[in-house]
Amino acid sequence: MRCGFCGYEFREEEGNQGCSSCPMSSGCKMIKCPRCNYENPPEPKMIKTVKKLFRRGGTPK
Amino acid sequence: MSIFKKKASCHETVSVAASGARKVALVGNPNVGKSVLFNALTGAYVTVSNYPGTSVEVARGNAVIDGVQYEVIDTPGMYSILPITEEERVAREILLNERPHLVIHVLDARNLERMLPMTLQLIEAELPLVLVVNIMDEAARLGLEIDIPELSRRLGIPVIGAATAKKVGLSEIRAAIASVHPVTAPVPRYAPELEEDLAEITELLRGEYILSRKAMALLLLQGDTEVAELVAKLEGDRYGTLEACVREKRFKRRDSFHLDLSLERKAIVQKVLDGTFRVPAVRPVTWSERLSRLTLRPITGVPLLIVVLYYGLYKFVGEFGAGTLVDLLEGKVFEEWFNPWITGVVNNLIPWEIIRELFVGEYGVITLGMRYAVGIILPIVATFFLFFSMLEDSGYFPRLALLVDRIFKKVGLTGRAVIPMVLGFGCDTMATMVTRTLETVRERVIATLLLALAIPCSAQLGVILALLSKAPGALAVWLGCLLLIFLLVGLLAARVLPGETPMFYMELPPMRLPQWSNVLTKTVSRMQWYFMEILPLFIVASVLLWLGKITHFFEKMVDAMTPVMGALGLPKETAVSFIFGFFRRDYGAAGLYDLQTKGILNPRQLTVAAVTLTLFIPCVAQFLIMKKERGWKVSLSIGLFVSTFAFGSGWVLNQVLLATGIL
């Protein structure tokens, strides 16, 4: 994913998700950019699934 | 003399994954689009795990091309085969241990000259290689011309021009993976003296290596300890003679071997690029660069900011979101259809008045909580998030940060604090957490204070703008008040708290047209997150308000606040919005919206209420995080100061508006 603030490209897993101290952490799934700490929303599961379906369909056999 | 020499051998032994799939490794510098290509090739079945014995994560995914299954490995960013960082070491380990069927070197077309030396190293290592010159679209925009077929001919490997983010070149990359690649690339030739030295070392290498002997010899000469250990293991007794030879050559080149080698590679790259890569005599200034400059200069940046705010917030969020959409959803769907229907259903089902009140009464969970959350807040935050995501994706925010940074510095504030301030317009709670990235305690305290006081969160901002867009002039007064208070309090805090202002530096990403898919994804995600968070809170708040009503505690609170409201020139009913505001900032703002719809507030009262409510105490979540980050003493002081200051400012504003008669 690309950080909405600084434009840095990183994988969701790379994002610093160490927000356990935050009282909202249970409901919040924001992903922090490793470079500038900006919080980016993750891609909703539903959209990921739809994209994957299209990708799989688009891959030449 | 040719800079390349045809090599004799090729790699035929390739490794296969446990599943039997052939391996394809994506290598290259960080931020060249490897992950985008990886996602495009694999899509599903991606696993991310730490590389054994390290903390570096490696993503693996499957791709089926022409009926053949491949395991695609997204290696960490690397600049050279000679590793310096742990990431580079892992990337090379993958090349060495996993014997990929194909190595795809992805590079940035805009930085071809800087990145091609690594291609030379990969060719030299005799790895089965395909070069992907990525981000060709941006390069074309900059006027850079790259003759891909000629580049491919000179390097002796398949070269594909691509823009993976826009899905350009993906079919060619898939075709390159599917086709068989005998390795016939000519190996780069260095200066005769270095070639002689390398020949002497390679003569002594007898073991079987994945990288070519020339590449191994060069790595030994560069003092790569891991390669030396591997060679020592494979050469056994012969290693002594080899080590002595390498030591002698290293001593001879001790002064500037790394520099000489990189200059030699640079010279080879320049010869390869001569005629294949053309830079325009006068570099064209793209519209995005022009716009970028305009956003950064105060003389053009401030009017541009006003235009963005006017059309984005006032017209789109205020008029369309809060006007058209809320009228439709709250006015028509809830007031005219849903609420009368559900009230009838509940009245028929529940005989007890007090329980009916809980669901469909004045502060009922459905008739108030749901109506506020779905009918008022949701359309406003949806339009706000849409606008916010578009701005975010265009690359405007870092420019705004730099633009505002200048003003911040003039009033004695730190520029670095711009980042949490900008983030605060999304969510103040999260932004308060981000203040921990600021360098000094002084900065953190000032930023926390300003976030609690003068930065409205997205939902509150949306509702307030929606309110004020219906009263001409009120928006300007509200904005002016907040700006003034922000600067005044910031300046005073910076003067009161001791310490120095550190430097602020930020790398600017290019400005670009937002991609609709990205914008929609972000908007949906934010709305999902927001809705999941607010709906339970609105329901809890409704229950508490209902409890307050049946115990008459709520009336007492309203009565207690009536003199304060009177001092602010506001009607008694406004107290309810402030009580709502204790639960959530936007709940309070939605309460004001309700009062305005009923015609209870005139423009002056609306402005005073909006300013006071914006400055008013932070929501519960923000207060908790303030306590966590700054401790009880600071957070309580901030909470007390903010509340007193909010009502004080409201009183002053009311007096000024009454005296001047502006509104």
Side-chain angles (χ1 to χ4, degrees):
Chain A
M1 64 189 294
R2 191 188 289 273
C3 171
F5 197 79
C6 70
Y8 183 69
E9 214 175 278
F10 63 100
R11 278 197 296 272
E12 276 192 18
E13 297 76 18
E14 278 179 66
N16 173 15
Q17 294 187 57
C19 305
S20 52
S21 56
C22 174
M24 290 163 79
S25 62
S26 58
C28 169
K29 292 186 174 64
M30 300 294 262
I31 298 163
K32 275 189 177 183
C33 165
R35 189 159 83 177
C36 73
N37 270 295
Y38 185 79
E39 275 151 348
N40 297 272
E43 206 167 55
K45 274 183 190 166
M46 189 184 74
I47 290 180
K48 267 186 194 166
T49 315
V50 172
K51 277 189 178 172
K52 275 176 192 172
L53 278 175
F54 276 101
R55 250 183 232 152
R56 238 185 289 174
T59 310
K61 301 277 170 193
Chain B
M1 187 196 294
S2 168
I3 51 170
F4 287 108
K5 178 191 165 195
K6 283 273 181 193
K7 66 181 173 227
S9 67
C10 68
H11 281 260
E12 284 172 2
T13 324
V14 292
S15 161
V16 290
S19 60
R22 288 174 157 189
K23 292 184 180 181
V24 174
L26 306 181
V27 299
N29 286 28
N31 264 331
V32 291
K34 287 196 302 295
S35 299
V36 175
L37 176 59
F38 174 78
N39 289 335
L41 289 174
T42 57
Y45 316 120
V46 175
T47 56
V48 179
S49 54
N50 280 359
Y51 196 77
T54 68
S55 59
V56 179
E57 284 182 334
V58 175
R60 292 165 196 270
N62 295 329
V64 178
I65 300 167
D66 275 355
V68 180
Q69 194 171 342
Y70 294 90
E71 183 187 284
V72 185
I73 310 168
D74 187 9
T75 68
M78 69 191 292
Y79 296 90
S80 159
I81 281 192
L82 179 73
I84 296 170
T85 63
E86 198 188 4
E87 277 79 10
E88 286 182 301
R89 198 157 283 126
V90 167
R92 193 179 69 176
E93 284 283 297
I94 291 168
L95 294 181
L96 284 176
N97 296 342
E98 310 216 10
R99 287 178 170 245
H101 161 69
L102 182 67
V103 176
I104 299 182
H105 182 206
V106 187
L107 47 71
D108 184 341
R110 298 165 301 180
N111 298 306
L112 207 55
E113 201 174 333
R114 185 159 59 83
M115 295 182 181
L116 267 179
M118 194 173 114
T119 316
L120 297 185
Q121 291 177 53
L122 294 167
I123 292 173
E124 191 172 74
E126 296 179 14
L127 289 163
L129 188 66
V130 165
L131 182 66
V132 172
V133 182
N134 200 14
I135 322 179
M136 285 289 279
D137 51 337
E138 299 266 349
R141 212 168 294 145
L142 293 170
L144 305 174
E145 286 175 39
I146 303 165
D147 186 344
I148 297 285
E150 181 58 20
L151 189 63
S152 174
R153 200 189 62 75
R154 291 191 189 182
L155 290 171
I157 53 167
V159 180
I160 298 161
T164 49
K166 293 194 173 152
K167 303 192 176 9
V168 176
L170 291 178
S171 52
E172 287 90 334
I173 295 170
R174 286 197 186 98
I177 295 172
S179 58
V180 181
H181 292 287
V183 184
T184 54
V187 178
R189 301 263 304 160
Y190 300 109
E193 257 187 45
L194 178 57
E195 285 292 338
E196 278 166 28
D197 286 351
L198 290 173
E200 270 185 57
I201 299 169
T202 48
E203 281 295 311
L204 296 169
L205 286 168
R206 295 280 188 275
E208 280 295 313
Y209 299 98
I210 291 168
L211 302 187
S212 72
R213 291 197 173 143
K214 185 173 181 181
M216 295 300 280
L218 257 175
L219 289 168
L220 285 174
L221 267 183
Q222 288 174 95
D224 189 322
T225 49
E226 280 167 36
V227 163
E229 278 170 28
L230 178 76
V231 171
K233 207 165 90 185
L234 288 177
E235 297 297 333
D237 295 341
R238 297 187 299 272
Y239 185 65
T241 325
L242 178 70
E243 195 195 15
C245 175
V246 172
R247 204 185 306 131
E248 182 204 320
K249 309 287 177 207
R250 274 171 61 88
F251 184 76
K252 194 170 80 180
R253 300 177 176 276
R254 66 188 177 280
D255 289 337
S256 57
F257 180 53
H258 287 282
L259 178 65
D260 294 344
L261 187 63
S262 95
L263 287 176
E264 287 221 28
R265 282 187 177 137
K266 205 174 165 189
I268 296 170
V269 165
Q270 272 165 356
K271 282 190 184 173
V272 169
L273 289 179
D274 187 22
T276 57
F277 179 69
R278 279 176 291 277
V279 181
V282 181
R283 197 172 153 269
V285 181
T286 59
W287 70 268
S288 70
E289 283 175 314
R290 212 168 289 146
L291 188 64
S292 174
R293 281 182 209 162
L294 290 177
T295 57
L296 288 169
R297 287 184 197 134
I299 199 154
T300 47
V302 174
L304 254 171
L305 175 64
I306 293 168
V307 169
V308 167
L309 293 178
Y310 179 76
Y311 283 102
L313 290 182
Y314 185 80
K315 299 295 269 187
F316 183 62
V317 182
E319 283 190 8
F320 176 69
T324 315
L325 291 184
V326 172
D327 283 351
L328 185 78
L329 210 59
E330 202 253 346
K332 300 270 180 213
V333 177
F334 271 90
E335 294 281 15
E336 285 183 20
W337 176 73
F338 184 73
N339 276 2
W341 173 76
I342 194 77
T343 307
V345 171
V346 171
N347 285 348
N348 283 336
L349 283 176
I350 303 170
W352 308 283
E353 168 75 24
I354 206 162
I355 305 295
R356 284 207 299 260
E357 278 281 310
L358 172 64
F359 294 103
V360 294
E362 192 184 355
Y363 305 115
V365 169
I366 301 172
T367 46
L368 184 88
M370 289 282 281
R371 182 166 64 87
Y372 272 16
V374 182
I376 299 177
I377 304 285
L378 198 66
I380 294 172
V381 294
T383 43
F384 182 85
F385 285 148
L386 192 64
F387 165 70
F388 193 81
S389 304
M390 277 178 69
L391 270 192
E392 195 181 64
D393 246 42
S394 68
Y396 182 66
F397 280 161
R399 285 162 180 86
L400 177 65
L402 280 187
L403 177 76
V404 183
D405 175 57
R406 294 165 198 230
I407 304 165
F408 271 30
K409 278 184 177 150
K410 277 181 188 155
V411 295
L413 260 173
T414 148
R416 193 178 282 267
V418 167
I419 295 175
M421 293 301 147
V422 175
L423 301 187
F425 287 107
C427 174
D428 280 312
T429 308
M430 295 301 166
T432 305
M433 277 185 79
V434 175
T435 57
R436 70 170 72 154
T437 60
L438 301 179
E439 279 178 32
T440 61
V441 177
R442 171 179 175 269
E443 274 181 281
R444 290 174 200 168
V445 173
I446 297 175
T448 308
L449 168 66
L450 290 174
L451 280 170
L453 182 72
I455 305 288
C457 68
S458 57
Q460 190 189 28
L461 183 65
V463 184
I464 297 259
L465 283 168
L467 275 171
L468 301 184
S469 62
K470 291 180 179 172
L475 185 63
V477 175
W478 174 81
L479 198 67
C481 277
L482 282 189
L483 263 175
L484 190 73
I485 288 167
F486 182 90
L487 295 176
L488 192 74
V489 174
L491 181 64
L492 285 175
R495 293 265 163 99
V496 170
L497 294 165
E500 284 177 20
T501 306
M503 288 286 289
F504 173 61
Y505 166 78
M506 186 164 188
E507 196 181 316
L508 288 175
M511 278 200 101
R512 59 172 77 81
L513 276 176
Q515 287 186 356
W516 272 110
S517 60
N518 263 6
V519 170
L520 287 178
T521 300
K522 283 184 181 182
T523 308
V524 169
S525 179
R526 286 199 164 108
M527 279 175 65
Q528 216 177 30
W529 166 76
Y530 181 79
F531 199 67
M532 296 304 283
E533 190 210 322
I534 63 154
L535 198 63
L537 279 173
F538 273 30
I539 290 169
V540 170
S542 292
V543 173
L544 289 176
L545 291 170
W546 167 79
L547 271 175
K549 192 187 174 188
I550 59 168
T551 55
H552 303 291
F553 179 71
F554 190 62
E555 284 165 33
K556 282 174 196 152
M557 273 182 79
V558 172
D559 286 342
M561 285 184 77
T562 304
V564 184
M565 294 298 116
L568 295 178
L570 299 174
K572 181 185 172 183
E573 291 87 341
T574 328
V576 180
S577 302
F578 283 88
I579 296 168
F580 288 177
F582 276 116
F583 299 104
R584 265 190 74 95
R585 285 182 168 210
D586 42 343
Y587 205 176
L592 271 192
Y593 189 91
D594 221 9
L595 291 181
Q596 191 209 29
T597 317
K598 288 173 187 162
I600 293 172
L601 301 171
N602 63 31
R604 175 182 55 79
Q605 290 170 324
L606 192 64
T607 314
V608 173
V611 168
T612 315
L613 204 68
T614 312
L615 298 174
F616 193 43
I617 193 163
C619 70
V620 177
Q622 191 183 350
F623 187 80
L624 286 175
I625 209 70
M626 261 165 51
K627 184 242 138 196
K628 171 81 193 163
E629 294 291 317
R630 306 279 92 84
W632 274 116
K633 210 170 116 186
V634 176
S635 50
L636 274 177
S637 311
I638 289 178
L640 202 66
F641 171 76
V642 164
S643 305
T644 321
F645 193 86
F647 286 109
S649 306
W651 182 82
V652 172
L653 178 65
N654 186 44
Q655 298 304 317
V656 171
L657 291 179
L658 279 172
T660 56
I662 299 173
L663 289 171

